Amino acid sequence: MSDSSRDTAEGAGWGTSERGAYRQLMPPTAEKISWLNPKMLWVARNGVLASWFGDPTGRTRSRWVAQRAASGAPADKVIRRDDPDRFSFLVIGDTGEGDDPQYAVVPGLLKTGQGTSFAVLASDVIYPVGSADDYGTKFFRPYRDYRAPIYAIPGNHDWYEGLGGFMRVFCDDAPPLPPGPRPRPLTRAWLRSLLWHRPRPDEGQGLPEARKLRDAPEQQAVQPGPYWAIDAGPLRIIGIDTGLLGTLDAEQGAWLREVSRGPRPKILVTGSPLYVDGRREPCAIEGGGTVDDIVRDPGHHYVAAIGGDIHNYQRYPVRLDDGRTLQYVVAGGGGAFMHATHTIPRVDVAGVTEQDFRCYPLRGDSLAFYSRLYGRRLRMRRFFTLTEAEAMAVIAERLGIKPTRAPGAPARLTRRVRLVAGLLGTGRRPDRATRFRLPVRKIYTSLFSPSSATYDPPFFKCFLRLDVSPEAVRLRCHAATGNRAQEIDPPVEDEVTIPLR
């Protein structure tokens, strides 16, 4: 097995010049998404409008679900497969930017995914707005050689055009919804409708041709709607749709409570992770309660909750009051730009400490990545750029932990190194969290997100393989850097065995 980023800098993808073969899979021209582009931000405005003027997602989702039920989808929204008691599947989160980082995941995914029964896309299948026109290069082409079905849950970006593209691709070519009732003038809903982004009338004309890239019988999957459950072997996998703002409507909440009952072991897949960046985000349900309340209920027998939306990997093994341990996982590193891990403070949440917490990329690699990125962008390379050793050392100092990867030559922590770490939002110990707060920190880590302006490895992407038996689930996080070495043998960045009994 090849070195991981926890073993060596080369295992993280640093210091190698041999790019992987993933570009051979890409179309001759690929859209380059930049979230610094005002035009792109304007097209993706519906999330902001929903937070200002009210979120219409729940009502629209209910109409989609009713339409699918009328066309014959199962009322309980359960997909019943005939997998044996021992099988494997993949989870890939936040995939669809259609450029180098997404395609860099594919060679390792195809190799590691051999023999898997199906894959699940967890959140944000298509960027920037879930357009049906984008599925050719951002879904069908990259995964054309994966020879098993792919199921999906939508993320907020898939909702920016009302979920029409998603429903056509994953839900038996569902026809567009008829127009809903017009809102009363001078109401918040009326103001929202004036500014709301909508798909073009001719959207998705290229879908029939794009479907030919994944038209083998063994690749086909039809799901009952934007949320569903899969019964496979001894396991039930439940996928929920958290819409534009990361919440559940009352109708979906009632369904989730119903399909969660019983002793069968369950894994939740969600577009809004329940533990992320060192804090709990329980995900509210309209009318009361939270998704995490349902997951923690011992009568529901959940063993893990896997969420997309955040573009990296994190794992929190939370020990509950009744003695069970639930694995809360963030798995959004499937292709979109990398969200920083170096901004995560020293972890101390729900009994999970630094000794238990895992993330990829390692915080030091994340800081080194960002320092190079902003050194280039701001034309201040000599000031901003940190070596991997410097980044690892300053992370260890600020968090009060040992270096995650044994450093090579000792790194000298100068005033510049510490200043750059602070400017780029590096986390701290909780007892020092109020010191050296800089107002520009959010600018560097949010406004200047790396986007897909980085087309050179290492990309620090990842995906999950889960091997299921009647006794346990083995979950492994595999890295994809864009370098040839990690394509040939995708390293395991984290592994945990989750008992089912």
Side-chain angles (χ1 to χ4, degrees):
M1 184 177 293
S2 63
D3 285 347
S4 74
S5 68
R6 292 179 173 269
D7 301 315
T8 63
E10 291 75 18
W14 300 115
T16 178
S17 59
E18 187 178 3
R19 186 193 294 265
Y22 66 87
R23 281 198 164 180
Q24 299 172 15
L25 308 174
M26 295 176 64
T29 58
E31 178 187 12
K32 292 178 171 53
I33 292 177
S34 172
W35 298 105
L36 302 179
N37 184 337
K39 181 179 179 181
M40 190 71 67
L41 294 175
W42 174 245
V43 171
R45 63 189 178 269
N46 285 359
V48 175
L49 294 176
S51 66
W52 288 351
F53 301 115
D55 184 3
T57 302
R59 292 188 297 276
T60 306
R61 182 190 294 116
S62 182
R63 295 175 65 209
W64 279 121
V65 169
Q67 183 197 77
R68 292 290 293 136
S71 65
D76 61 3
K77 303 171 186 61
V78 177
I79 302 164
R80 294 173 173 86
R81 295 178 50 87
D82 59 357
D83 299 288
D85 282 349
R86 298 179 185 273
F87 73 99
S88 304
F89 68 100
L90 301 174
V91 176
I92 325 159
D94 297 84
T95 54
E97 287 198 356
D99 51 17
D100 291 55
Q102 179 179 8
Y103 279 85
V105 175
V106 174
L109 183 147
L110 293 176
K111 183 168 184 177
T112 304
Q114 291 178 9
T116 54
S117 297
F118 57 89
V120 175
L121 299 186
S123 178
D124 290 338
V125 180
I126 300 294
Y127 293 93
V129 292
S131 170
D133 287 337
D134 287 337
Y135 271 87
T137 56
K138 300 177 182 181
F139 174 74
F140 289 105
R141 186 183 182 105
Y143 309 121
R144 60 183 174 182
D145 293 324
Y146 179 66
R147 309 304 296 179
I150 298 177
Y151 305 96
I153 57 168
N156 57 312
H157 286 267
D158 300 302
W159 269 100
Y160 286 168
E161 287 193 350
L163 209 64
F166 181 96
M167 296 297 293
R168 288 185 65 179
V169 170
F170 294 104
C171 298
D172 203 22
D173 209 14
L177 289 175
R182 291 185 178 182
R184 287 183 292 111
L186 303 179
T187 61
R188 294 172 70 209
W190 177 77
L191 289 171
R192 183 184 64 220
S193 69
L194 295 181
L195 299 171
W196 200 251
H197 170 76
R198 294 176 177 82
R200 299 190 318 272
D202 61 347
E203 197 98 342
Q205 290 187 356
L207 269 180
E209 188 66 24
R211 289 182 193 275
K212 295 178 182 178
L213 296 171
R214 279 186 53 85
D215 62 356
E218 65 271 19
Q219 294 176 310
Q220 304 312 301
V222 174
Q223 59 190 59
Y227 57 92
W228 40 258
I230 298 174
D231 283 349
L235 193 66
R236 172 167 281 188
I237 304 154
I238 298 175
I240 59 173
D241 168 21
T242 56
L244 282 170
L245 301 183
T247 60
L248 260 64
D249 60 282
E251 179 182 334
Q252 186 179 182
W255 169 86
L256 178 60
R257 292 184 177 96
E258 181 65 30
V259 296
S260 296
R261 293 187 179 125
R264 187 171 190 156
K266 300 173 185 72
I267 291 177
L268 182 76
V269 182
T270 169
S272 298
L274 303 180
Y275 278 83
V276 60
D277 294 346
R279 64 184 185 272
R280 180 177 178 241
E281 299 284 351
C283 188
I285 299 174
E286 181 186 20
T290 69
V291 171
D292 200 28
D293 293 337
I294 296 172
V295 168
R296 288 168 174 260
D297 188 324
H300 295 160
H301 200 179
Y302 279 90
V303 297
I306 302 172
D309 189 53
I310 304 301
H311 307 163
N312 53 46
Y313 173 82
Q314 302 173 43
R315 180 169 65 84
Y316 301 82
V318 175
R319 189 170 179 84
L320 304 181
D321 292 340
D322 59 10
R324 294 177 300 134
T325 297
L326 264 171
Q327 300 291 340
Y328 290 90
V329 177
V330 178
F337 70 84
M338 187 192 88
H339 280 134
T341 58
H342 67 266
T343 58
I344 303 172
R346 178 167 170 156
V347 171
D348 186 5
V349 59
V352 180
T353 66
E354 280 293 325
Q355 286 68 40
D356 313 306
F357 172 68
R358 295 290 182 271
C359 70
Y360 177 78
L362 301 179
R363 289 178 174 104
D365 289 328
S366 171
L367 179 57
F369 175 92
Y370 267 73
S371 73
R372 287 163 168 76
L373 175 69
Y374 296 124
R376 291 195 303 269
R377 281 196 175 167
L378 302 177
R379 299 182 181 180
M380 299 173 66
R381 295 183 189 226
R382 292 186 63 183
F383 173 74
F384 268 101
T385 302
L386 304 181
T387 67
E388 302 92 83
E390 288 172 333
M392 286 285 178
V394 76
I395 289 285
E397 178 185 77
R398 289 173 69 96
L399 297 184
I401 61 175
K402 294 180 179 179
T404 311
R405 180 172 65 233
R412 180 167 169 260
L413 292 184
T414 64
R415 183 178 297 178
R416 178 190 70 87
V417 171
R418 293 185 175 100
L419 178 59
V420 169
L423 285 171
L424 296 183
T426 305
R428 280 190 170 274
R429 291 164 48 182
D431 59 343
R432 299 183 181 180
T434 58
R435 295 181 61 192
F436 304 111
R437 280 193 178 273
L438 295 172
V440 296
R441 187 166 97 176
K442 288 291 185 182
I443 297 176
Y444 280 109
T445 58
S446 298
L447 178 59
F448 291 146
S449 65
S451 182
S452 292
T454 51
Y455 294 102
D456 297 312
F459 296 125
F460 298 110
K461 300 291 97 187
C462 61
F463 60 92
L464 307 184
R465 175 174 170 136
L466 293 90
D467 300 303
V468 181
S469 73
E471 298 77 28
V473 175
R474 182 176 67 165
L475 181 153
R476 287 176 290 174
C477 171
H478 288 273
T481 67
N483 287 320
R484 184 62 176 159
Q486 286 79 41
E487 279 188 356
I488 294 171
D489 188 7
V492 177
E493 290 293 334
D494 185 36
E495 180 173 348
V496 63
T497 298
I498 307 169
L500 297 184
R501 295 178 177 173

